[in-house]
C-alpha cells in the first residue's frame, strides 16, 4: 500500500536536507518563576542574557515582580490569579525585585553576560 | 477537651481589643458552614477597616497597605464564596464570628476619633494584632476542624497571605516608630 505524501511531510523532508536548516536558530531558553504562597519560586534565579523569564501567579491574590530601583528593569505590572508575564534578560547584572503589594516578598535575578560571539537570538 | 481549650483561646484572641467580651462565652465547636462564615467575616472586617484608613490616613505606605488589604481580602472572599456555593455550604454565624465582630466594633470605635499619625499607629497596631489572631485561629482551630478537603485547602492556601499581611503590618509599625 502506498503511503500518501502530504504537503507537510514534503516540507519537512525538504527542510531536512536544505542548507536553510543551518539557519534555524534555537530559541533562547525560558525559565519560569512560580509565584505561590506569597513567595517567588525560585527566589534566586541565574540566567544568561537573552533568556526569557516567565513569572506566573498561582496565588489567589494579585502580585507583581518589580525591580526595587529606578529605572525599573523588571516590572510585570499587576498579575491577577493565573496571569503571567515574560521578560527577556537584557543587560548583565543583579536585579532585586519585590511585589509592590507585598513588600515582604523578595526575589533576585542574576543575568550573566553572554560569551563574546555567542549572542543568542530569540 | 483540648480542642475546646484551643477554641476558647482562639475566640479570645480574635476579639483582640476586647477579650473580656468572651470571658463568659461558651467555647465553639465549628462545622464547615461556621468556618466559612468566620473566613468571610474576618475578610469583611479587615476590608471595612481598610476603607476607614483610606479616608483618614495621609501616609502613602499606610494607604498602600490598606489598598492591599481590600484587594487581597476581597479576592479571598470571592474564592470562599464561590467554593461555598459549589459545595452547597451556607455560611452560619457562630461564637467565633460574633467575637470577631465584637472586636471589630471595639477597634473601630477606638480608631474613629483618631487623626494623622495617631490614626496610622492605631490602625497598624490593630492590623498586627488582628492578623496574628487570624493566623493563630487558622493554625489551632479553623484548619484542624474543617472537614471538607477543598475548604481546608482554601484555608491552607490563604495562610501565607495572612502571614505576609502580618509581616507587612509589623514592618510598617517599625517604620512608624522610627519616623517619630
Amino acid at each position: 500500500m502506498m503511503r500518501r505524501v502530504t504537503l507537510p511531510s514534503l516540507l519537512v523532508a525538504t527542510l531536512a536536507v536544505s542548507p536553510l536548516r543551518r539557519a534555524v536558530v534555537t530559541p533562547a531558553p525560558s525559565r519560569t518563576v512560580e509565584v505561590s504562597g506569597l513567595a517567588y519560586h525560585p527566589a534566586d534565579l541565574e540566567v544568561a542574557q537573552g533568556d526569557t523569564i516567565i513569572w506566573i501567579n498561582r496565588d489567589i491574590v494579585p502580585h507583581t515582580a518589580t525591580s526595587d530601583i529606578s529605572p525599573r528593569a523588571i516590572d510585570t505590572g499587576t498579575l491577577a490569579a493565573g496571569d503571567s508575564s515574560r521578560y527577556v534578560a537584557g543587560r548583565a547584572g543583579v536585579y532585586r525585585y519585590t511585589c509592590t503589594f507585598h513588600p515582604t516578598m523578595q526575589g533576585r535575578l542574576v543575568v550573566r553576560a553572554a560569551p563574546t560571539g555567542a549572542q543568542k537570538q530569540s | 477537651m483540648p480542642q475546646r481549650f484551643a477554641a476558647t483561646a482562639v475566640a479570645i484572641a480574635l476579639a483582640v481589643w476586647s477579650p473580656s467580651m468572651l470571658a463568659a462565652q461558651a467555647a465553639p465547636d465549628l462545622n464547615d458552614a461556621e468556618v466559612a462564615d468566620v473566613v468571610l467575616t474576618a475578610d469583611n472586617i479587615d476590608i471595612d477597616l481598610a476603607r476607614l484608613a483610606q479616608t483618614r490616613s495621609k501616609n502613602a505606605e499606610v494607604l498602600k497597605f490598606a489598598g492591599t488589604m481590600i484587594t487581597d481580602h476581597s479576592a479571598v472572599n470571592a474564592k470562599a464564596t464561590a467554593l461555598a456555593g459549589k459545595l452547597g455550604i451556607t455560611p452560619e454565624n457562630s461564637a467565633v464570628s460574633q467575637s470577631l465582630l465584637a472586636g471589630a466594633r471595639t477597634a473601630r470605635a477606638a480608631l474613629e476619633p483618631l487623626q494623622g499619625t495617631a490614626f496610622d499607629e492605631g490602625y497598624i497596631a490593630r492590623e498586627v494584632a488582628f492578623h496574628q489572631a487570624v493566623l493563630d485561629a487558622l493554625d489551632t482551630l479553623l484548619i484542624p476542624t474543617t472537614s471538607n478537603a477543598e475548604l481546608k485547602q482554601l484555608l491552607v492556601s490563604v495562610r501565607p497571605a495572612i502571614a505576609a499581611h502580618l509581616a507587612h503590618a509589623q514592618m510598617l509599625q517599625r517604620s512608624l516608630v522610627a519616623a517619630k
Side-chain angles (χ1 to χ4, degrees), chain A residues 8-28:
Chain A
S9 63
L10 271 175
L11 187 59
V12 169
T14 306
L15 284 174
V17 297
S18 164
L20 284 174
R21 186 176 172 222
R22 283 193 292 274
V24 175
V25 176
T26 305

Side-chain angles (χ1 to χ4, degrees), chain B residues 27-110:
Chain B
D29 282 328
L30 299 185
N31 60 38
D32 285 0
E34 290 168 331
V35 168
D37 190 68
V38 170
V39 172
L40 297 175
T41 301
D43 284 332
N44 287 330
I45 284 170
D46 212 44
I47 291 167
D48 182 57
L49 209 55
R51 288 199 175 121
L52 175 67
Q54 287 185 323
T55 66
R56 293 295 174 84
S57 182
K58 300 279 189 292
N59 181 305
E61 292 305 314
V62 171
L63 289 169
K64 204 163 133 184
F65 176 83
T68 298
M69 293 308 105
I70 292 170
T71 303
D72 286 5
H73 288 287
S74 297
V76 173
N77 254 3
K79 192 85 175 174
T81 301
L83 181 59
K86 179 190 160 192
L87 300 174
I89 292 173
T90 302
E92 289 174 13
N93 198 7
S94 68
V96 175
S97 288
Q98 286 167 20
S99 71
L100 273 169
L101 289 167
R105 280 193 293 273
T106 304
R108 188 167 176 117

Side-chain angles (χ1 to χ4, degrees), chain A residues 28-71:
Chain A
S30 67
R31 303 288 297 274
T32 300
V33 177
E34 301 253 350
V35 188
S36 65
L38 279 281
Y40 302 106
H41 305 281
D44 208 335
L45 179 64
E46 189 172 325
V47 300
Q49 277 179 303
D51 287 358
T52 298
I53 301 96
I54 302 167
W55 282 269
I56 181 160
N57 181 12
R58 304 283 190 202
D59 270 340
I60 298 170
V61 299
H63 291 300
T64 76
T66 308
S67 297
D68 56 5
I69 53 165
S70 292

Side-chain angles (χ1 to χ4, degrees), chain A residues 36-39 58-63 72 78 81 99-106, chain B residues 64 68-69 71-73 75-76 79 154 157-158 160-165 167-168 171:
Chain A
S36 65
L38 279 281
R58 304 283 190 202
D59 270 340
I60 298 170
V61 299
H63 291 300
R72 288 179 168 171
T78 301
C99 171
T100 56
F101 304 123
H102 310 102
T104 54
M105 294 170 63
Q106 302 286 330
Chain B
K64 204 163 133 184
T68 298
M69 293 308 105
T71 303
D72 286 5
H73 288 287
V76 173
K79 192 85 175 174
L154 175 67
S157 70
V158 163
I162 303 301
H165 291 172
H168 189 173
M171 199 168 83

